[in-house]
Amino acid sequence: MAQEYPLPRFHFQVDWGGAKISFTEVTGLDMQVEVIEYRHSDSKDFNKIKMPGMRKFNNLTMKRGKFEGDFDYNNWLDEIANERVNGRRDVVIRLLNEKHVPVAAWSATRCFPVKVTAPDLKSDANEIAVETIEIAHEGLKLMKI
């Protein structure tokens, strides 16, 4: 029986190269196909035809609370310095239902960090410290579960 309501977006899990890590936010799960316009010289039509071209993906951005002694983001950034290939990882983001079972998953391949942002610090704030990592990847696909 199909579900009557859309899934909530707050229950998800990130598999970070084998380790499951909790994040407060994941953005950038979008895929595009560039359009190629073409018209050959002896075409009787006075318009261009459109064809699908190269795929294009945005970087993924992930946020999570900062914990004492946790330097995963910075360690990963150091690993890929000087383009060391062994620093790349696959990342899988799973949307979970109320029974904690994955119902949709996105797989990003050969990821590497391009930006790490430390938490904003403010002496009169009453919020948790949140750090951000932006990762580039070579492909994103929706996996069928």
Side-chain angles (χ1 to χ4, degrees):
M1 183 172 160
Q3 188 173 350
E4 293 183 34
Y5 300 103
L7 295 163
R9 65 182 186 163
F10 61 80
H11 195 36
F12 61 94
Q13 177 184 69
V14 177
D15 185 338
W16 174 286
K20 290 179 177 50
I21 298 180
S22 297
F23 288 91
T24 58
E25 184 177 335
V26 175
T27 59
L29 294 171
D30 59 286
M31 300 169 262
Q32 286 182 285
V33 175
E34 294 177 343
V35 175
I36 300 171
E37 293 185 348
Y38 175 77
R39 181 184 180 275
H40 58 85
S41 62
D42 62 349
S43 173
K44 297 188 187 323
D45 295 327
F46 289 102
N47 60 302
K48 299 175 184 174
I49 61 171
K50 295 185 179 188
M51 301 175 287
M54 302 278 292
R55 287 182 161 189
K56 190 164 84 172
F57 307 99
N58 285 337
N59 291 344
L60 298 176
T61 302
M62 299 185 284
K63 297 180 180 183
R64 69 175 181 177
K66 179 71 176 162
F67 290 91
E68 187 176 341
D70 179 11
F71 302 103
D72 284 347
Y73 285 0
N74 296 84
N75 291 342
W76 192 18
L77 194 62
D78 291 342
E79 280 180 32
I80 61 100
N82 301 321
E83 292 196 39
R84 285 187 279 178
V85 178
N86 62 350
R88 291 183 183 239
R89 304 176 185 173
D90 290 343
V91 174
V92 178
I93 298 105
R94 292 180 180 89
L95 182 62
L96 308 174
N97 65 15
E98 67 279 356
K99 296 175 185 167
H100 314 293
V101 175
V103 293
W106 295 264
S107 174
T109 56
R110 296 184 42 77
C111 302
F112 61 95
V114 294
K115 183 178 180 182
V116 173
T117 306
D120 292 332
L121 306 175
K122 190 174 178 185
S123 64
D124 63 347
N126 190 21
E127 299 133 11
I128 64 166
V130 175
E131 61 182 349
T132 304
I133 188 167
E134 183 178 335
I135 60 173
H137 56 90
E138 292 183 358
L140 181 69
K141 66 179 179 177
L142 178 62
M143 301 166 55
K144 294 184 180 176
I145 304 237

